[in-house]
Amino acid sequence: MEASGDKRAPLSRERIALAALAIADAEGLEALTMRRLAAELGAAPMAAYAHFADKRELLAEVVDAVMGEVDLPEADGRWRKPLRRLGMSFRSALVAHPAVMPAVHVCGARGANALTVIDRAHSILRAAGFPDEQVGRAVETIYAFALGSASLEIAWATLDPSARHAQIFALPRSAYPDLTAVMPHVLAVDVEDRFRYGLDRILDGLAGARRAR
Amino acid sequence: MEASGDKRAPLSRERIALAALAIADAEGLEALTMRRLAAELGAAPMAAYAHFADKRELLAEVVDAVMGEVDLPEADGRWRKPLRRLGMSFRSALVAHPAVMPAVHVCGARGANALTVIDRAHSILRAAGFPDEQVGRAVETIYAFALGSASLEIAWATLDPSARHAQIFALPRSAYPDLTAVMPHVLAVDVEDRFRYGLDRILDGLAGARRAR
DNA sequence: ACCTGAACACCGTTCAAGT
DNA sequence: ACCTGAACACCGTTCAAGT
């Protein structure tokens, strides 16, 4: 499978970033070196530097490519359902590319696609009549929650199986009595459902704040 | 200033991790190399490997040192105020060590101190009579939100000033009409207050779910 | 403007050796 | 068991050169 397309085609920021994403997806972020990327593109090791100032700038573009996969519901006057869908889709996009997560932390998510996602979240709330002084904080709350959820989920999924097993079955009850007591209830619920639960509680809270104004 | 103590004292996991944290705090995570760490400890480059299998394991210990700074309110039967304090303190600890944040993403936060924090959050809710099937998901929601908030805040703070200025003043209104319209309202509120707002909305939502049961 | 190829100054880690 | 010192196989990036 040739994810990066024809090796003869001229390089571009987009083509380079997509090739980089493909490497990270397939072999992890450690495998994404400038030399490996160049090889994948059929170019010399330094070729990408004509399009990106440094590796950090490249990683920022890779993060934004992930943000481009987020579905954007219309701002049609309703808010709860579309914002919920946006949040779910945002999480899905991050979780679909676990290797990219550390780069989100280093580079943030402030590319054109990320800003489009954030703008749409604002649009949904404004179109539904939320007051402007609540809109920004509401979006930030959901954004932070979705980002943190994806990070926790990915950290857990990429833990090696023996360590994960130990965290589930070998945690000392005496040191963590309440955590160990509750754990079975948590593990009984699918990760995506747990995310949805938290998201719904946030939406409940935002609805309440709007009424209380 | 000698943060790592007497160079003659024998090495230990804790002494090494604290020296590593001091380097990251002072000069950033990139400056934290095994050689630099050894120099700080007055030891040979490979000395730390007698106590840690690899650098990742060392970073996990550094993350847990940060988690050790979280204040743990008593589980005295109330839940809203103590859980709020716990969340605030968790965020503060992460924000106080911005350089460590990327390591949280790579290593997770599953050390002894992190587990103690999580256990205490469970204790607070259980002591207040929350049903067990809600407790785990409630804690996870707050944990994810606080982690994501700290990450966003740190990413923003560590952006270089010109880029930050551009994100505030040079964002095209035509492409992001609602984001740019709302931005002034967001920037008028202090970051910590914005975190508190989101946390309060989550606590509202959790309170509602408890009543609804 | 875009790409090349060699070189520089690192890095984490392996290994054989010392105490 | 803990620490050393040299070496290995990398890495991102600089630089001078090509088209």
Side-chain angles (χ1 to χ4, degrees):
Chain A
M1 199 182 70
E2 186 52 68
S4 43
D6 183 7
K7 295 195 178 188
R8 299 294 165 76
L11 296 180
S12 68
R13 282 178 71 96
E14 197 196 359
R15 205 164 87 81
I16 295 169
L18 288 179
L21 179 56
I23 294 169
D25 283 344
E27 300 170 48
L29 200 61
E30 327 78 51
L32 175 51
T33 69
M34 298 307 275
R35 291 160 215 260
R36 175 87 168 73
L37 174 61
E40 205 71 23
L41 292 164
M46 290 299 297
Y49 283 91
H51 299 87
F52 295 96
D54 53 24
K55 193 179 183 181
R56 194 189 156 104
E57 197 177 300
L58 166 67
L59 288 176
E61 193 82 12
V62 172
V63 169
D64 210 49
V66 173
M67 289 293 98
E69 295 179 7
V70 178
D71 283 330
L72 299 180
E74 293 302 318
D76 60 4
R78 296 174 303 162
W79 68 276
R80 187 154 176 140
K81 265 178 82 172
L83 201 55
R84 192 170 185 264
R85 270 195 49 212
L86 185 76
M88 298 291 294
S89 176
F90 179 83
R91 169 197 157 277
S92 294
L94 288 174
V95 170
H97 303 280
V100 176
M101 195 74 228
V104 178
H105 246 297
V106 175
C107 306
R110 318 203 156 271
N113 289 333
L115 292 172
T116 299
V117 172
I118 295 170
D119 184 64
R120 181 59 61 89
H122 284 76
S123 308
I124 291 168
L125 286 169
R126 293 184 92 205
F130 265 77
D132 275 359
E133 73 268 22
Q134 287 185 13
V135 169
R137 289 183 288 177
V139 172
E140 204 175 24
T141 303
I142 293 172
Y143 190 34
F145 169 68
L147 187 68
S149 292
S151 173
L152 289 176
E153 186 176 335
I154 290 166
W156 178 254
T158 53
L159 214 60
D160 64 291
S162 69
R164 198 160 51 229
H165 189 272
Q167 292 265 337
I168 297 174
F169 299 107
L171 238 41
R173 280 170 176 273
S174 55
Y176 316 112
D178 293 293
L179 169 59
T180 50
V182 169
M183 190 115 68
H185 290 96
V186 174
L187 295 173
V189 184
D190 172 72
V191 259
E192 192 170 355
D193 285 336
R194 271 143 57 195
F195 175 76
R196 206 188 324 262
Y197 179 87
L199 183 55
D200 279 331
R201 297 296 73 72
I202 292 172
L203 295 173
D204 290 348
L206 296 175
R210 183 196 196 183
R211 280 193 305 272
R213 206 176 73 103
Chain B
M1 197 182 73
E2 186 52 65
S4 44
D6 182 6
K7 295 195 180 189
R8 300 293 165 75
L11 295 179
S12 68
R13 282 177 73 96
E14 196 196 0
R15 205 164 86 81
I16 295 169
L18 288 178
L21 179 57
I23 294 169
D25 283 344
E27 300 170 48
L29 201 61
E30 327 78 51
L32 175 52
T33 68
M34 298 306 275
R35 290 159 215 260
R36 175 87 170 73
L37 174 61
E40 205 71 25
L41 291 164
M46 289 300 297
Y49 282 92
H51 298 88
F52 295 96
D54 53 23
K55 193 179 183 182
R56 193 188 158 105
E57 196 177 300
L58 166 67
L59 288 177
E61 192 83 12
V62 172
V63 169
D64 210 49
V66 173
M67 289 293 98
E69 295 179 8
V70 178
D71 283 329
L72 299 179
E74 293 301 320
D76 60 3
R78 297 174 303 161
W79 68 275
R80 188 155 177 139
K81 266 179 80 173
L83 201 54
R84 194 171 183 264
R85 271 194 49 213
L86 184 76
M88 297 291 294
S89 176
F90 179 82
R91 170 197 155 278
S92 294
L94 287 174
V95 170
H97 303 281
V100 177
M101 195 73 226
V104 178
H105 246 298
V106 176
C107 306
R110 320 203 156 272
N113 289 333
L115 291 172
T116 299
V117 172
I118 295 169
D119 185 64
R120 181 59 61 90
H122 284 76
S123 308
I124 290 169
L125 286 170
R126 294 184 91 204
F130 265 77
D132 275 358
E133 73 268 22
Q134 287 186 13
V135 169
R137 289 184 287 178
V139 171
E140 204 173 26
T141 302
I142 292 172
Y143 190 34
F145 169 67
L147 188 68
S149 293
S151 174
L152 288 175
E153 186 176 336
I154 290 166
W156 178 255
T158 53
L159 215 60
D160 65 291
S162 69
R164 199 160 50 229
H165 189 272
Q167 292 266 337
I168 297 175
F169 299 107
L171 238 43
R173 280 170 176 276
S174 56
Y176 316 112
D178 293 293
L179 170 59
T180 49
V182 168
M183 191 116 68
H185 289 96
V186 173
L187 295 173
V189 183
D190 172 72
V191 258
E192 192 170 354
D193 284 336
R194 272 143 56 195
F195 175 76
R196 207 188 325 262
Y197 179 86
L199 184 55
D200 279 332
R201 296 296 72 73
I202 292 172
L203 295 173
D204 290 349
L206 296 175
R210 184 196 196 183
R211 280 193 305 272
R213 205 176 75 103

